[in-house]
Amino acid sequence: MKSKFLNSLLFWIVLAIIAGWVCSLFFPVWLARVFVTFNGLFSNFLGFFVPVLIFALIAPAIASLGQGAGKWLGITAGVAYGSTIISGLIAWGTASLLYPTLLAGKSLITNVDNPEEGGLSPYFTVEMPAPFAVMSALLLAFVIGVAMTAVPSRNMKAVLDELNGVILKVVTSFVIPLLPIYIFGTFLNLGMNENFGSTMAAFGTVLVLSIVMTIVIILIQYLVAGVVAGVNPFVALKNMLPAYFTALGTSSSAATIPVTYASTLKNKVDEDVAGFVVPLCATIHLSGSMMKITLYALAIVFMGNLDIAAGQVLGFILLLGIMMIAAPGVPGGAIMAAVGLLQANLGFDESMVSLMIAAYIVVDSFGTAANVTGDGAIALMLNKFAAGKIKGSSLDDATLDNANVSRETSVETAGSTVVK
């Protein structure tokens, strides 16, 4: 267990944050600027790569959802999307209500370009224009994915699946291993800008708030499920606690599938319904992740004094809900799928994106635990209408034993554990 933690992405991210602050106390400016130069290059690469990543994830995901799925797949996906969007809206409302008090007087200054004033600037930059804009990638993926559900497209689907595999290889072998260095550079820059203390104090408050709100969203989901399914929501939630704590320890919805399935059956959900909903929602239902990303993003908007209109926030949430459907296929988690929207819709710079990644991963397991526990609530609601109508979907022993082989299972790559 200790060895597994030391090889995890969480460990390296926490180490990078601490090392960045410590090194800011004694690093000479010339050496610190080396890491800031790397951050600029890596950020520009992400700007180039993210639109391709979005297309490679979303297009085959939409095409797969429509092929031979039947109405229950569409209904389940719709409920999962609705749950994720509601989570984002609640996060927005919470931020609007609490941030003026919680973050009063807090500021976020990450981009100070004058080294004479203690800030850091890169030695050089390399422009890496994206092949197309983030919104273009999303629209193209949506159009092609939907069209593929209406016409025979076996060859096209094979091409998109291979593209998906190639892009994920880039993420696992290149992007994820470099994330700790990227985050180290960000916190080194913060420390040398004398902005580290105030930023961490403010974000510490937001981290605690995000954990509390993931629990709140679970309670809301089970209250709704209790009304729809006619069951005691608190008893149902109690039965799902093994899944919650398993996900808390694994940070993987896929690795938790056997426990989620068994816990769902304790709530007297039909075996076929549970066998259909649990694996599907493990890959498309990310209400907990949505809660955290939205709260963190709006905290940065507030502290950075960004001029973001309400319509932009709403658009961000609606589009992020779509990203979350494909997010489990992204090694490194939902936050990597959100990078493009953070930059395109909210105007985040490289340091803001790095802060988002670090904050998300530090408490990643709480979001994953909320995701899988919410899957049980969706199964309860679907069971009310689909029991006896979904056949042959119960999970057999082999499926349960090999649940960790799913797309979202923790993947050890270059000393990093993939997390959702």
Side-chain angles (χ1 to χ4, degrees):
M1 181 63 70
K2 182 179 179 180
S3 175
K4 183 178 180 180
F5 174 71
L6 293 178
N7 288 327
S8 70
L9 181 59
L10 172 60
F11 170 77
W12 289 105
I13 294 299
V14 172
L15 183 62
I17 293 172
I18 296 172
W21 172 69
V22 172
C23 290
S24 71
L25 301 177
F26 61 88
F27 262 31
V29 169
W30 68 265
L31 180 56
R33 289 179 66 194
V34 171
F35 291 95
V36 174
T37 301
F38 167 82
N39 274 29
L41 295 174
F42 189 74
S43 177
N44 287 345
F45 173 78
L46 286 181
F48 158 80
F49 182 67
V50 163
V52 182
L53 173 67
I54 290 172
F55 176 79
L57 291 174
I58 299 294
I62 293 177
S64 296
L65 284 175
Q67 292 180 341
K71 69 175 183 178
W72 293 114
L73 177 54
I75 291 173
T76 305
V79 172
Y81 178 77
S83 173
T84 303
I85 294 303
I86 290 172
S87 178
L89 294 175
I90 291 174
W92 183 16
T94 301
S96 300
L97 181 65
L98 298 182
Y99 282 179
T101 300
L102 288 179
L103 304 180
K106 305 295 184 182
S107 62
L108 180 66
I109 305 171
T110 61
N111 188 21
V112 180
D113 292 330
N114 186 356
E116 299 296 327
E117 297 178 358
L120 301 172
S121 61
Y123 284 111
F124 62 90
T125 60
V126 177
E127 296 298 324
M128 304 179 192
F132 34 74
V134 169
M135 187 55 64
S136 298
L138 186 59
L139 290 174
L140 183 63
F142 183 80
V143 169
I144 290 179
V146 170
M148 287 174 61
T149 67
V151 299
S153 52
R154 181 177 300 175
N155 292 336
M156 185 71 172
K157 182 65 166 57
V159 169
L160 288 179
D161 285 341
E162 288 190 11
L163 175 63
N164 181 281
V166 170
I167 294 302
L168 291 184
K169 181 64 176 178
V170 174
V171 177
T172 57
S173 299
F174 181 74
V175 175
I176 292 299
L178 292 179
L179 277 180
I181 301 175
Y182 181 52
I183 290 170
F184 169 82
T186 297
F187 283 87
L188 177 67
N189 191 11
L190 282 173
M192 298 191 75
N193 284 340
E194 299 182 353
N195 193 39
F196 182 87
S198 60
T199 299
M200 287 300 95
F203 249 91
T205 303
V206 177
L207 289 177
V208 173
L209 176 64
S210 70
I211 293 173
V212 172
M213 290 307 299
T214 57
I215 296 173
V216 169
I217 194 64
I218 292 173
L219 291 174
I220 292 173
Q221 289 169 341
Y222 275 85
L223 288 173
V224 174
V227 172
V228 173
V231 300
N232 185 319
F234 300 104
V235 173
L237 182 54
K238 179 183 177 182
N239 289 335
M240 292 299 299
L241 288 181
Y244 180 89
F245 287 105
T246 301
L248 206 59
T250 64
S251 294
S252 169
S253 294
T256 313
I257 284 177
V259 183
T260 307
Y261 177 70
S263 299
T264 302
L265 293 181
K266 288 182 181 179
N267 284 329
K268 300 181 180 179
V269 173
D270 181 82
E271 287 189 4
D272 288 330
V273 173
F276 174 78
V277 172
V278 169
L280 176 62
C281 285
T283 61
I284 68 173
H285 180 228
L286 282 85
S287 56
S289 300
M290 169 68 87
M291 176 64 70
K292 292 195 307 172
I293 291 174
T294 305
L295 285 174
Y296 299 159
L298 294 179
I300 290 177
V301 167
F302 185 91
M303 291 190 293
N305 293 315
L306 301 183
D307 185 17
I308 304 296
Q312 288 177 271
V313 178
L314 179 60
F316 170 75
I317 291 173
L318 294 176
L319 291 174
L320 184 59
I322 298 175
M323 296 295 189
M324 292 298 95
I325 291 177
V330 185
I335 188 61
M336 290 306 300
V339 167
L341 290 180
L342 292 170
Q343 295 173 326
N345 287 49
L346 301 182
F348 279 23
D349 61 26
E350 62 187 66
S351 296
M352 293 174 176
V353 170
S354 182
L355 279 173
M356 284 287 299
I357 295 172
Y360 183 90
I361 292 175
V362 165
V363 293
D364 174 71
S365 59
F366 288 93
T368 303
N371 294 338
V372 303
T373 308
D375 297 346
I378 293 179
L380 276 171
M381 290 186 278
L382 265 293
N383 189 66
K384 175 71 174 181
F385 307 101
K389 299 178 182 178
I390 298 177
K391 298 295 184 182
S393 296
S394 57
L395 302 183
D396 56 25
D397 291 338
T399 302
L400 293 175
D401 290 340
N402 292 286
N404 291 342
V405 188
S406 150
R407 293 190 316 168
E408 189 199 351
T409 304
S410 298
V411 177
E412 300 294 340
T413 306
S416 298
T417 295
V418 172
V419 292
K420 169 179 168 184

